[in-house]
Amino acid sequence: MPSKLSKQLRAVRLSLGYSLRDVERLSKGKISNAYVSIAEHGIERPKPETLRILCKVYQLDFISMMKVAGHIKPGDISDWRLFSHKGKAL
């Protein structure tokens, strides 16, 4: 069953006019079009790294989407550096 995250990912992709193959191309092949479909149908919740790539492609805020995905709870992000690497936001 589609989750809030899966519905939001699909809605954003469609609002940008991207096809599933466009997302694969824009992610430089890091995310397959088949996986985007799986995530949009709620079959699998994207891992943080995959979500980071999707956020970059869709120009979405990573931390907000991590909350929507349930990877972090709204009150858990007192230190954003938990989701950074060598001082650079992921």
Side-chain angles (χ1 to χ4, degrees), residues 55-75:
C55 286
K56 186 174 181 179
V57 170
Y58 296 160
Q59 299 178 354
L60 297 172
D61 179 69
F62 175 62
I63 298 299
S64 296
M65 293 306 291
M66 287 286 287
K67 291 176 185 176
V68 173
H71 290 303
I72 57 175
K73 305 251 186 298

Side-chain angles (χ1 to χ4, degrees), residues 2 4 6 13 15 19 21 31 34 45 47 50 58 63 68 73 77-80 84 87-88:
K4 180 179 178 183
S6 61
R13 178 178 62 80
S15 74
S19 68
R21 286 197 168 96
I31 303 173
R45 179 177 67 163
K47 293 180 181 174
T50 304
Y58 296 160
I63 298 299
V68 173
K73 305 251 186 298
I77 194 65
S78 59
D79 186 355
W80 68 269
S84 66
K88 295 182 181 177

Side-chain angles (χ1 to χ4, degrees), residues 15-55:
S15 74
L16 293 169
Y18 294 162
S19 68
L20 295 172
R21 286 197 168 96
D22 288 336
V23 176
E24 181 174 10
R25 181 180 48 79
L26 291 167
S27 74
K28 298 181 175 122
K30 293 178 183 174
I31 303 173
S32 71
N33 65 73
Y35 184 80
V36 175
S37 179
I38 287 168
E40 288 182 359
H41 284 89
I43 297 168
E44 187 174 312
R45 179 177 67 163
K47 293 180 181 174
E49 177 61 19
T50 304
L51 192 57
R52 183 188 65 78
I53 295 166
L54 286 171
C55 286

